[in-house]
Amino acid sequence: MATWRKARRSANNSSCVEVAVTPEVVGVRDTKDRTGGTLTFTRPQWSSFLETLR
């Protein structure tokens, strides 16, 4: 089971996301709507996503 944590770069105005990292996947969800769905990335996809954001 993954442990969810607030993303380090989330805003301080309640516009936050949480991430959960496992050896296989990374999950991302809205802190205010935890049951609203989760984006799931493979580890390589997550790395590529972060590089694109930078």
Side-chain angles (χ1 to χ4, degrees):
M1 178 176 215
T3 300
W4 291 94
R5 64 175 176 80
K6 181 179 170 186
R8 288 182 285 174
R9 300 273 183 173
S10 287
N12 290 326
N13 62 3
S14 300
S15 297
C16 304
V17 296
E18 294 177 322
V19 295
V21 179
T22 72
E24 295 82 25
V25 297
V26 177
V28 181
R29 68 182 181 187
D30 185 342
T31 301
K32 295 180 292 184
D33 187 12
R34 292 180 174 140
T35 60
T38 303
L39 294 173
T40 305
F41 298 88
T42 64
R43 298 296 293 262
Q45 288 171 329
W46 180 247
S47 294
S48 177
F49 176 70
L50 293 179
E51 284 300 316
T52 300
L53 293 178
R54 292 182 186 138

mmCIF file of all heavy atoms in Angstrom:
data_model
loop_
_atom_site.group_PDB
_atom_site.id
_atom_site.type_symbol
_atom_site.label_atom_id
_atom_site.label_comp_id
_atom_site.label_asym_id
_atom_site.label_seq_id
_atom_site.Cartn_x
_atom_site.Cartn_y
_atom_site.Cartn_z
ATOM 1 N N MET A 1 0.838 -1.184 0.000
ATOM 2 C CA MET A 1 0.000 0.000 0.000
ATOM 3 C C MET A 1 0.884 1.249 0.000
ATOM 4 O O MET A 1 1.858 1.337 0.717
ATOM 5 C CB MET A 1 -0.911 -0.009 1.214
ATOM 6 C CG MET A 1 -1.777 1.218 1.308
ATOM 7 S SD MET A 1 -2.898 1.083 2.681
ATOM 8 C CE MET A 1 -4.258 1.892 1.964
ATOM 9 N N ALA A 2 0.531 2.202 -0.811
ATOM 10 C CA ALA A 2 1.311 3.428 -0.946
ATOM 11 C C ALA A 2 0.924 4.436 0.127
ATOM 12 O O ALA A 2 -0.211 4.470 0.591
ATOM 13 C CB ALA A 2 1.085 4.037 -2.318
ATOM 14 N N THR A 3 1.871 5.268 0.503
ATOM 15 C CA THR A 3 1.623 6.352 1.447
ATOM 16 C C THR A 3 1.526 7.657 0.657
ATOM 17 O O THR A 3 2.441 8.005 -0.086
ATOM 18 C CB THR A 3 2.771 6.454 2.471
ATOM 19 O OG1 THR A 3 2.858 5.211 3.171
ATOM 20 C CG2 THR A 3 2.532 7.580 3.445
ATOM 21 N N TRP A 4 0.411 8.365 0.830
ATOM 22 C CA TRP A 4 0.209 9.637 0.146
ATOM 23 C C TRP A 4 0.861 10.756 0.936
ATOM 24 O O TRP A 4 0.825 10.767 2.159
ATOM 25 C CB TRP A 4 -1.288 9.922 -0.004
ATOM 26 C CG TRP A 4 -1.946 8.994 -0.968
ATOM 27 C CD1 TRP A 4 -2.577 7.827 -0.655
ATOM 28 C CD2 TRP A 4 -2.015 9.130 -2.380
ATOM 29 N NE1 TRP A 4 -3.040 7.231 -1.799
ATOM 30 C CE2 TRP A 4 -2.715 8.008 -2.870
ATOM 31 C CE3 TRP A 4 -1.560 10.089 -3.279
ATOM 32 C CZ2 TRP A 4 -2.974 7.835 -4.229
ATOM 33 C CZ3 TRP A 4 -1.822 9.906 -4.624
ATOM 34 C CH2 TRP A 4 -2.521 8.792 -5.084
ATOM 35 N N ARG A 5 1.458 11.713 0.219
ATOM 36 C CA ARG A 5 2.053 12.893 0.866
ATOM 37 C C ARG A 5 1.813 14.108 -0.025
ATOM 38 O O ARG A 5 1.683 13.988 -1.241
ATOM 39 C CB ARG A 5 3.532 12.708 1.131
ATOM 40 C CG ARG A 5 4.357 12.559 -0.125
ATOM 41 C CD ARG A 5 5.841 12.508 0.181
ATOM 42 N NE ARG A 5 6.594 12.277 -1.040
ATOM 43 C CZ ARG A 5 6.900 13.195 -1.934
ATOM 44 N NH1 ARG A 5 6.518 14.427 -1.769
ATOM 45 N NH2 ARG A 5 7.598 12.890 -3.007
ATOM 46 N N LYS A 6 1.749 15.253 0.593
ATOM 47 C CA LYS A 6 1.569 16.489 -0.167
ATOM 48 C C LYS A 6 2.828 16.745 -0.994
ATOM 49 O O LYS A 6 3.947 16.617 -0.499
ATOM 50 C CB LYS A 6 1.331 17.656 0.789
ATOM 51 C CG LYS A 6 1.109 18.971 0.102
ATOM 52 C CD LYS A 6 0.850 20.069 1.114
ATOM 53 C CE LYS A 6 0.879 21.422 0.443
ATOM 54 N NZ LYS A 6 0.781 22.502 1.409
ATOM 55 N N ALA A 7 2.627 17.102 -2.241
ATOM 56 C CA ALA A 7 3.754 17.384 -3.130
ATOM 57 C C ALA A 7 4.517 18.604 -2.620
ATOM 58 O O ALA A 7 3.921 19.574 -2.157
ATOM 59 C CB ALA A 7 3.265 17.626 -4.553
ATOM 60 N N ARG A 8 5.825 18.565 -2.698
ATOM 61 C CA ARG A 8 6.665 19.668 -2.205
ATOM 62 C C ARG A 8 6.384 20.988 -2.898
ATOM 63 O O ARG A 8 6.516 22.048 -2.306
ATOM 64 C CB ARG A 8 8.149 19.333 -2.386
ATOM 65 C CG ARG A 8 8.636 18.280 -1.421
ATOM 66 C CD ARG A 8 10.097 18.029 -1.628
ATOM 67 N NE ARG A 8 10.221 17.229 -2.867
ATOM 68 C CZ ARG A 8 11.341 16.907 -3.431
ATOM 69 N NH1 ARG A 8 12.464 17.315 -2.938
ATOM 70 N NH2 ARG A 8 11.352 16.178 -4.525
ATOM 71 N N ARG A 9 6.017 20.952 -4.150
ATOM 72 C CA ARG A 9 5.801 22.180 -4.916
ATOM 73 C C ARG A 9 4.344 22.642 -4.924
ATOM 74 O O ARG A 9 3.999 23.554 -5.648
ATOM 75 C CB ARG A 9 6.274 21.988 -6.352
ATOM 76 C CG ARG A 9 7.737 21.648 -6.460
ATOM 77 C CD ARG A 9 8.555 22.876 -6.507
ATOM 78 N NE ARG A 9 9.952 22.524 -6.678
ATOM 79 C CZ ARG A 9 10.881 23.390 -6.882
ATOM 80 N NH1 ARG A 9 10.582 24.666 -6.960
ATOM 81 N NH2 ARG A 9 12.116 23.013 -7.002
ATOM 82 N N SER A 10 3.496 22.028 -4.117
ATOM 83 C CA SER A 10 2.096 22.454 -4.067
ATOM 84 C C SER A 10 1.998 23.848 -3.475
ATOM 85 O O SER A 10 2.790 24.237 -2.625
ATOM 86 C CB SER A 10 1.275 21.493 -3.208
ATOM 87 O OG SER A 10 1.084 20.280 -3.867
ATOM 88 N N ALA A 11 0.999 24.590 -3.929
ATOM 89 C CA ALA A 11 0.784 25.960 -3.447
ATOM 90 C C ALA A 11 0.267 25.946 -2.012
ATOM 91 O O ALA A 11 -0.281 24.960 -1.542
ATOM 92 C CB ALA A 11 -0.204 26.678 -4.348
ATOM 93 N N ASN A 12 0.445 27.037 -1.317
ATOM 94 C CA ASN A 12 -0.028 27.170 0.061
ATOM 95 C C ASN A 12 -1.470 27.659 0.130
ATOM 96 O O ASN A 12 -1.975 27.951 1.196
ATOM 97 C CB ASN A 12 0.873 28.130 0.842
ATOM 98 C CG ASN A 12 2.237 27.528 1.091
ATOM 99 O OD1 ASN A 12 2.378 26.325 1.272
ATOM 100 N ND2 ASN A 12 3.253 28.364 1.091
ATOM 101 N N ASN A 13 -2.154 27.756 -0.996
ATOM 102 C CA ASN A 13 -3.509 28.285 -1.028
ATOM 103 C C ASN A 13 -4.557 27.194 -1.228
ATOM 104 O O ASN A 13 -5.599 27.426 -1.798
ATOM 105 C CB ASN A 13 -3.644 29.344 -2.130
ATOM 106 C CG ASN A 13 -3.388 28.756 -3.500
ATOM 107 O OD1 ASN A 13 -3.158 27.567 -3.636
ATOM 108 N ND2 ASN A 13 -3.433 29.584 -4.524
ATOM 109 N N SER A 14 -4.299 26.015 -0.763
ATOM 110 C CA SER A 14 -5.191 24.853 -0.877
ATOM 111 C C SER A 14 -5.240 24.254 -2.268
ATOM 112 O O SER A 14 -6.027 23.370 -2.532
ATOM 113 C CB SER A 14 -6.608 25.202 -0.412
ATOM 114 O OG SER A 14 -6.595 25.604 0.923
ATOM 115 N N SER A 15 -4.435 24.738 -3.186
ATOM 116 C CA SER A 15 -4.346 24.133 -4.526
ATOM 117 C C SER A 15 -3.219 23.109 -4.497
ATOM 118 O O SER A 15 -2.141 23.334 -5.036
ATOM 119 C CB SER A 15 -4.069 25.202 -5.578
ATOM 120 O OG SER A 15 -5.122 26.109 -5.646
ATOM 121 N N CYS A 16 -3.509 21.998 -3.856
ATOM 122 C CA CYS A 16 -2.457 21.013 -3.605
ATOM 123 C C CYS A 16 -2.747 19.687 -4.287
ATOM 124 O O CYS A 16 -3.902 19.337 -4.514
ATOM 125 C CB CYS A 16 -2.336 20.742 -2.109
ATOM 126 S SG CYS A 16 -2.044 22.195 -1.113
ATOM 127 N N VAL A 17 -1.691 18.984 -4.577
ATOM 128 C CA VAL A 17 -1.804 17.605 -5.013
ATOM 129 C C VAL A 17 -1.010 16.739 -4.063
ATOM 130 O O VAL A 17 -0.101 17.207 -3.373
ATOM 131 C CB VAL A 17 -1.314 17.396 -6.469
ATOM 132 C CG1 VAL A 17 -2.181 18.160 -7.442
ATOM 133 C CG2 VAL A 17 0.136 17.765 -6.623
ATOM 134 N N GLU A 18 -1.377 15.478 -4.010
ATOM 135 C CA GLU A 18 -0.660 14.501 -3.219
ATOM 136 C C GLU A 18 -0.066 13.478 -4.171
ATOM 137 O O GLU A 18 -0.634 13.198 -5.226
ATOM 138 C CB GLU A 18 -1.606 13.793 -2.247
ATOM 139 C CG GLU A 18 -2.165 14.710 -1.204
ATOM 140 C CD GLU A 18 -3.165 14.016 -0.289
ATOM 141 O OE1 GLU A 18 -3.944 13.171 -0.768
ATOM 142 O OE2 GLU A 18 -3.159 14.338 0.894
ATOM 143 N N VAL A 19 1.060 12.928 -3.788
ATOM 144 C CA VAL A 19 1.698 11.891 -4.587
ATOM 145 C C VAL A 19 1.937 10.665 -3.708
ATOM 146 O O VAL A 19 2.132 10.777 -2.502
ATOM 147 C CB VAL A 19 3.030 12.360 -5.216
ATOM 148 C CG1 VAL A 19 2.811 13.471 -6.206
ATOM 149 C CG2 VAL A 19 4.018 12.787 -4.158
ATOM 150 N N ALA A 20 1.904 9.512 -4.342
ATOM 151 C CA ALA A 20 2.236 8.248 -3.692
ATOM 152 C C ALA A 20 3.177 7.513 -4.635
ATOM 153 O O ALA A 20 2.874 7.338 -5.813
ATOM 154 C CB ALA A 20 0.985 7.428 -3.425
ATOM 155 N N VAL A 21 4.313 7.112 -4.106
ATOM 156 C CA VAL A 21 5.348 6.483 -4.930
ATOM 157 C C VAL A 21 5.520 5.031 -4.489
ATOM 158 O O VAL A 21 5.676 4.752 -3.299
ATOM 159 C CB VAL A 21 6.677 7.246 -4.800
ATOM 160 C CG1 VAL A 21 7.759 6.586 -5.634
ATOM 161 C CG2 VAL A 21 6.503 8.706 -5.188
ATOM 162 N N THR A 22 5.476 4.126 -5.454
ATOM 163 C CA THR A 22 5.795 2.721 -5.213
ATOM 164 C C THR A 22 6.937 2.356 -6.156
ATOM 165 O O THR A 22 7.286 3.153 -7.031
ATOM 166 C CB THR A 22 4.581 1.803 -5.488
ATOM 167 O OG1 THR A 22 4.359 1.731 -6.889
ATOM 168 C CG2 THR A 22 3.327 2.285 -4.761
ATOM 169 N N PRO A 23 7.507 1.183 -6.015
ATOM 170 C CA PRO A 23 8.565 0.798 -6.955
ATOM 171 C C PRO A 23 8.109 0.748 -8.414
ATOM 172 O O PRO A 23 8.900 0.944 -9.322
ATOM 173 C CB PRO A 23 8.989 -0.589 -6.472
ATOM 174 C CG PRO A 23 8.650 -0.588 -5.019
ATOM 175 C CD PRO A 23 7.374 0.221 -4.911
ATOM 176 N N GLU A 24 6.812 0.513 -8.647
ATOM 177 C CA GLU A 24 6.310 0.373 -10.010
ATOM 178 C C GLU A 24 5.658 1.630 -10.560
ATOM 179 O O GLU A 24 5.786 1.917 -11.750
ATOM 180 C CB GLU A 24 5.289 -0.764 -10.092
ATOM 181 C CG GLU A 24 5.858 -2.140 -9.814
ATOM 182 C CD GLU A 24 5.962 -2.436 -8.324
ATOM 183 O OE1 GLU A 24 5.195 -1.842 -7.545
ATOM 184 O OE2 GLU A 24 6.816 -3.233 -7.945
ATOM 185 N N VAL A 25 4.887 2.352 -9.743
ATOM 186 C CA VAL A 25 4.085 3.474 -10.241
ATOM 187 C C VAL A 25 4.140 4.668 -9.292
ATOM 188 O O VAL A 25 4.535 4.559 -8.138
ATOM 189 C CB VAL A 25 2.600 3.076 -10.449
ATOM 190 C CG1 VAL A 25 2.459 2.001 -11.500
ATOM 191 C CG2 VAL A 25 1.948 2.676 -9.153
ATOM 192 N N VAL A 26 3.707 5.821 -9.836
ATOM 193 C CA VAL A 26 3.528 7.045 -9.056
ATOM 194 C C VAL A 26 2.082 7.481 -9.259
ATOM 195 O O VAL A 26 1.613 7.594 -10.390
ATOM 196 C CB VAL A 26 4.488 8.161 -9.522
ATOM 197 C CG1 VAL A 26 4.234 9.454 -8.757
ATOM 198 C CG2 VAL A 26 5.936 7.720 -9.361
ATOM 199 N N GLY A 27 1.373 7.713 -8.152
ATOM 200 C CA GLY A 27 0.000 8.182 -8.219
ATOM 201 C C GLY A 27 -0.073 9.650 -7.838
ATOM 202 O O GLY A 27 0.699 10.121 -7.004
ATOM 203 N N VAL A 28 -1.013 10.366 -8.459
ATOM 204 C CA VAL A 28 -1.216 11.789 -8.174
ATOM 205 C C VAL A 28 -2.714 12.005 -7.997
ATOM 206 O O VAL A 28 -3.513 11.521 -8.799
ATOM 207 C CB VAL A 28 -0.700 12.683 -9.327
ATOM 208 C CG1 VAL A 28 -0.899 14.156 -9.011
ATOM 209 C CG2 VAL A 28 0.758 12.390 -9.623
ATOM 210 N N ARG A 29 -3.089 12.737 -6.923
ATOM 211 C CA ARG A 29 -4.500 13.039 -6.697
ATOM 212 C C ARG A 29 -4.647 14.431 -6.098
ATOM 213 O O ARG A 29 -3.708 14.996 -5.554
ATOM 214 C CB ARG A 29 -5.159 12.008 -5.797
ATOM 215 C CG ARG A 29 -4.658 12.044 -4.361
ATOM 216 C CD ARG A 29 -5.306 10.986 -3.526
ATOM 217 N NE ARG A 29 -4.819 11.059 -2.134
ATOM 218 C CZ ARG A 29 -5.110 10.174 -1.212
ATOM 219 N NH1 ARG A 29 -5.867 9.129 -1.505
ATOM 220 N NH2 ARG A 29 -4.636 10.318 0.020
ATOM 221 N N ASP A 30 -5.847 14.972 -6.203
ATOM 222 C CA ASP A 30 -6.192 16.284 -5.656
ATOM 223 C C ASP A 30 -6.401 16.149 -4.151
ATOM 224 O O ASP A 30 -7.195 15.321 -3.701
ATOM 225 C CB ASP A 30 -7.462 16.796 -6.324
ATOM 226 C CG ASP A 30 -7.859 18.207 -5.910
ATOM 227 O OD1 ASP A 30 -7.381 18.701 -4.875
ATOM 228 O OD2 ASP A 30 -8.660 18.811 -6.631
ATOM 229 N N THR A 31 -5.710 16.961 -3.377
ATOM 230 C CA THR A 31 -5.828 16.897 -1.921
ATOM 231 C C THR A 31 -7.255 17.156 -1.456
ATOM 232 O O THR A 31 -7.722 16.539 -0.512
ATOM 233 C CB THR A 31 -4.865 17.916 -1.266
ATOM 234 O OG1 THR A 31 -3.539 17.601 -1.669
ATOM 235 C CG2 THR A 31 -4.936 17.874 0.240
ATOM 236 N N LYS A 32 -7.958 18.061 -2.116
ATOM 237 C CA LYS A 32 -9.312 18.419 -1.694
ATOM 238 C C LYS A 32 -10.360 17.414 -2.155
ATOM 239 O O LYS A 32 -11.478 17.430 -1.654
ATOM 240 C CB LYS A 32 -9.681 19.814 -2.213
ATOM 241 C CG LYS A 32 -8.834 20.926 -1.626
ATOM 242 C CD LYS A 32 -9.261 22.270 -2.176
ATOM 243 C CE LYS A 32 -8.912 22.313 -3.637
ATOM 244 N NZ LYS A 32 -9.173 23.576 -4.297
ATOM 245 N N ASP A 33 -10.034 16.554 -3.114
ATOM 246 C CA ASP A 33 -10.997 15.593 -3.650
ATOM 247 C C ASP A 33 -10.320 14.234 -3.785
ATOM 248 O O ASP A 33 -10.118 13.731 -4.889
ATOM 249 C CB ASP A 33 -11.536 16.086 -4.992
ATOM 250 C CG ASP A 33 -12.662 15.226 -5.528
ATOM 251 O OD1 ASP A 33 -13.199 14.382 -4.776
ATOM 252 O OD2 ASP A 33 -13.003 15.391 -6.702
ATOM 253 N N ARG A 34 -9.994 13.639 -2.677
ATOM 254 C CA ARG A 34 -9.209 12.402 -2.682
ATOM 255 C C ARG A 34 -9.934 11.225 -3.322
ATOM 256 O O ARG A 34 -9.300 10.275 -3.753
ATOM 257 C CB ARG A 34 -8.798 12.060 -1.257
ATOM 258 C CG ARG A 34 -7.813 13.060 -0.719
ATOM 259 C CD ARG A 34 -7.389 12.733 0.688
ATOM 260 N NE ARG A 34 -6.332 13.650 1.088
ATOM 261 C CZ ARG A 34 -6.260 14.174 2.283
ATOM 262 N NH1 ARG A 34 -7.140 13.874 3.206
ATOM 263 N NH2 ARG A 34 -5.269 14.998 2.578
ATOM 264 N N THR A 35 -11.259 11.275 -3.383
ATOM 265 C CA THR A 35 -12.010 10.187 -4.006
ATOM 266 C C THR A 35 -12.353 10.497 -5.458
ATOM 267 O O THR A 35 -13.017 9.704 -6.121
ATOM 268 C CB THR A 35 -13.315 9.910 -3.232
ATOM 269 O OG1 THR A 35 -14.123 11.094 -3.238
ATOM 270 C CG2 THR A 35 -13.031 9.485 -1.802
ATOM 271 N N GLY A 36 -11.898 11.620 -5.964
ATOM 272 C CA GLY A 36 -12.243 12.056 -7.310
ATOM 273 C C GLY A 36 -11.447 11.420 -8.421
ATOM 274 O O GLY A 36 -11.672 11.693 -9.587
ATOM 275 N N GLY A 37 -10.521 10.580 -8.117
ATOM 276 C CA GLY A 37 -9.729 9.911 -9.142
ATOM 277 C C GLY A 37 -8.246 10.129 -8.929
ATOM 278 O O GLY A 37 -7.825 11.023 -8.200
ATOM 279 N N THR A 38 -7.477 9.288 -9.562
ATOM 280 C CA THR A 38 -6.026 9.307 -9.423
ATOM 281 C C THR A 38 -5.377 9.158 -10.794
ATOM 282 O O THR A 38 -5.792 8.311 -11.578
ATOM 283 C CB THR A 38 -5.556 8.145 -8.518
ATOM 284 O OG1 THR A 38 -6.194 8.247 -7.252
ATOM 285 C CG2 THR A 38 -4.055 8.155 -8.330
ATOM 286 N N LEU A 39 -4.404 9.988 -11.053
ATOM 287 C CA LEU A 39 -3.564 9.791 -12.236
ATOM 288 C C LEU A 39 -2.458 8.820 -11.847
ATOM 289 O O LEU A 39 -1.865 8.951 -10.770
ATOM 290 C CB LEU A 39 -2.928 11.100 -12.682
ATOM 291 C CG LEU A 39 -3.862 12.177 -13.206
ATOM 292 C CD1 LEU A 39 -3.079 13.470 -13.441
ATOM 293 C CD2 LEU A 39 -4.516 11.726 -14.480
ATOM 294 N N THR A 40 -2.175 7.869 -12.692
ATOM 295 C CA THR A 40 -1.138 6.888 -12.405
ATOM 296 C C THR A 40 -0.114 6.891 -13.531
ATOM 297 O O THR A 40 -0.482 6.820 -14.707
ATOM 298 C CB THR A 40 -1.748 5.483 -12.259
ATOM 299 O OG1 THR A 40 -2.768 5.525 -11.266
ATOM 300 C CG2 THR A 40 -0.692 4.483 -11.829
ATOM 301 N N PHE A 41 1.146 6.994 -13.142
ATOM 302 C CA PHE A 41 2.262 7.014 -14.085
ATOM 303 C C PHE A 41 3.199 5.852 -13.778
ATOM 304 O O PHE A 41 3.420 5.533 -12.607
ATOM 305 C CB PHE A 41 3.093 8.299 -13.922
ATOM 306 C CG PHE A 41 2.353 9.575 -14.191
ATOM 307 C CD1 PHE A 41 1.653 10.223 -13.179
ATOM 308 C CD2 PHE A 41 2.386 10.165 -15.443
ATOM 309 C CE1 PHE A 41 0.993 11.422 -13.410
ATOM 310 C CE2 PHE A 41 1.731 11.359 -15.689
ATOM 311 C CZ PHE A 41 1.032 11.986 -14.672
ATOM 312 N N THR A 42 3.799 5.273 -14.814
ATOM 313 C CA THR A 42 4.922 4.376 -14.563
ATOM 314 C C THR A 42 6.087 5.246 -14.107
ATOM 315 O O THR A 42 6.074 6.469 -14.299
ATOM 316 C CB THR A 42 5.331 3.591 -15.827
ATOM 317 O OG1 THR A 42 5.800 4.520 -16.809
ATOM 318 C CG2 THR A 42 4.181 2.751 -16.365
ATOM 319 N N ARG A 43 7.088 4.658 -13.526
ATOM 320 C CA ARG A 43 8.242 5.456 -13.089
ATOM 321 C C ARG A 43 8.897 6.198 -14.250
ATOM 322 O O ARG A 43 9.196 7.386 -14.127
ATOM 323 C CB ARG A 43 9.251 4.581 -12.337
ATOM 324 C CG ARG A 43 8.708 3.935 -11.051
ATOM 325 C CD ARG A 43 8.332 4.957 -9.988
ATOM 326 N NE ARG A 43 9.455 5.661 -9.449
ATOM 327 C CZ ARG A 43 10.093 5.384 -8.312
ATOM 328 N NH1 ARG A 43 9.728 4.379 -7.582
ATOM 329 N NH2 ARG A 43 11.105 6.109 -7.917
ATOM 330 N N PRO A 44 9.118 5.560 -15.423
ATOM 331 C CA PRO A 44 9.690 6.303 -16.555
ATOM 332 C C PRO A 44 8.774 7.432 -17.035
ATOM 333 O O PRO A 44 9.246 8.519 -17.388
ATOM 334 C CB PRO A 44 9.878 5.246 -17.643
ATOM 335 C CG PRO A 44 9.972 3.954 -16.911
ATOM 336 C CD PRO A 44 9.079 4.111 -15.710
ATOM 337 N N GLN A 45 7.471 7.199 -17.062
ATOM 338 C CA GLN A 45 6.534 8.254 -17.459
ATOM 339 C C GLN A 45 6.598 9.428 -16.488
ATOM 340 O O GLN A 45 6.554 10.587 -16.897
ATOM 341 C CB GLN A 45 5.098 7.718 -17.504
ATOM 342 C CG GLN A 45 4.807 6.789 -18.632
ATOM 343 C CD GLN A 45 3.451 6.129 -18.491
ATOM 344 O OE1 GLN A 45 2.964 5.881 -17.398
ATOM 345 N NE2 GLN A 45 2.839 5.819 -19.629
ATOM 346 N N TRP A 46 6.673 9.142 -15.207
ATOM 347 C CA TRP A 46 6.743 10.186 -14.181
ATOM 348 C C TRP A 46 8.010 11.016 -14.370
ATOM 349 O O TRP A 46 7.972 12.240 -14.319
ATOM 350 C CB TRP A 46 6.692 9.568 -12.795
ATOM 351 C CG TRP A 46 6.744 10.546 -11.677
ATOM 352 C CD1 TRP A 46 7.751 10.700 -10.770
ATOM 353 C CD2 TRP A 46 5.746 11.523 -11.329
ATOM 354 N NE1 TRP A 46 7.429 11.694 -9.880
ATOM 355 C CE2 TRP A 46 6.215 12.218 -10.191
ATOM 356 C CE3 TRP A 46 4.520 11.874 -11.860
ATOM 357 C CZ2 TRP A 46 5.497 13.245 -9.606
ATOM 358 C CZ3 TRP A 46 3.797 12.891 -11.261
ATOM 359 C CH2 TRP A 46 4.289 13.564 -10.148
ATOM 360 N N SER A 47 9.131 10.357 -14.592
ATOM 361 C CA SER A 47 10.390 11.072 -14.822
ATOM 362 C C SER A 47 10.289 11.977 -16.038
ATOM 363 O O SER A 47 10.713 13.139 -15.999
ATOM 364 C CB SER A 47 11.545 10.093 -14.996
ATOM 365 O OG SER A 47 11.773 9.394 -13.804
ATOM 366 N N SER A 48 9.707 11.475 -17.098
ATOM 367 C CA SER A 48 9.536 12.268 -18.316
ATOM 368 C C SER A 48 8.600 13.453 -18.067
ATOM 369 O O SER A 48 8.862 14.575 -18.517
ATOM 370 C CB SER A 48 8.977 11.383 -19.430
ATOM 371 O OG SER A 48 8.746 12.129 -20.584
ATOM 372 N N PHE A 49 7.509 13.231 -17.347
ATOM 373 C CA PHE A 49 6.571 14.285 -16.999
ATOM 374 C C PHE A 49 7.275 15.391 -16.218
ATOM 375 O O PHE A 49 7.133 16.577 -16.535
ATOM 376 C CB PHE A 49 5.426 13.686 -16.186
ATOM 377 C CG PHE A 49 4.435 14.686 -15.676
ATOM 378 C CD1 PHE A 49 3.569 15.335 -16.534
ATOM 379 C CD2 PHE A 49 4.369 14.975 -14.325
ATOM 380 C CE1 PHE A 49 2.633 16.257 -16.060
ATOM 381 C CE2 PHE A 49 3.442 15.892 -13.830
ATOM 382 C CZ PHE A 49 2.589 16.526 -14.701
ATOM 383 N N LEU A 50 8.065 15.036 -15.216
ATOM 384 C CA LEU A 50 8.763 16.040 -14.422
ATOM 385 C C LEU A 50 9.784 16.813 -15.246
ATOM 386 O O LEU A 50 9.929 18.025 -15.093
ATOM 387 C CB LEU A 50 9.440 15.386 -13.211
ATOM 388 C CG LEU A 50 8.510 14.807 -12.160
ATOM 389 C CD1 LEU A 50 9.331 14.165 -11.036
ATOM 390 C CD2 LEU A 50 7.572 15.857 -11.611
ATOM 391 N N GLU A 51 10.497 16.107 -16.133
ATOM 392 C CA GLU A 51 11.459 16.793 -17.007
ATOM 393 C C GLU A 51 10.772 17.794 -17.918
ATOM 394 O O GLU A 51 11.282 18.882 -18.174
ATOM 395 C CB GLU A 51 12.238 15.779 -17.832
ATOM 396 C CG GLU A 51 13.313 15.065 -17.044
ATOM 397 C CD GLU A 51 14.356 16.009 -16.477
ATOM 398 O OE1 GLU A 51 14.812 16.934 -17.194
ATOM 399 O OE2 GLU A 51 14.697 15.838 -15.298
ATOM 400 N N THR A 52 9.583 17.439 -18.394
ATOM 401 C CA THR A 52 8.821 18.342 -19.251
ATOM 402 C C THR A 52 8.413 19.601 -18.486
ATOM 403 O O THR A 52 8.447 20.711 -19.034
ATOM 404 C CB THR A 52 7.571 17.630 -19.805
ATOM 405 O OG1 THR A 52 8.012 16.499 -20.557
ATOM 406 C CG2 THR A 52 6.752 18.538 -20.691
ATOM 407 N N LEU A 53 8.047 19.444 -17.234
ATOM 408 C CA LEU A 53 7.648 20.596 -16.414
ATOM 409 C C LEU A 53 8.795 21.535 -16.112
ATOM 410 O O LEU A 53 8.601 22.731 -15.952
ATOM 411 C CB LEU A 53 7.020 20.119 -15.106
ATOM 412 C CG LEU A 53 5.680 19.397 -15.209
ATOM 413 C CD1 LEU A 53 5.237 18.947 -13.831
ATOM 414 C CD2 LEU A 53 4.641 20.284 -15.856
ATOM 415 N N ARG A 54 9.989 20.994 -16.026
ATOM 416 C CA ARG A 54 11.161 21.817 -15.687
ATOM 417 C C ARG A 54 11.517 22.647 -16.874
ATOM 418 O O ARG A 54 11.923 23.664 -16.967
ATOM 419 C CB ARG A 54 12.323 20.946 -15.256
ATOM 420 C CG ARG A 54 12.044 20.268 -13.948
ATOM 421 C CD ARG A 54 13.233 19.430 -13.513
ATOM 422 N NE ARG A 54 12.830 18.694 -12.317
ATOM 423 C CZ ARG A 54 13.112 17.452 -12.065
ATOM 424 N NH1 ARG A 54 13.831 16.760 -12.924
ATOM 425 N NH2 ARG A 54 12.720 16.865 -10.981
#
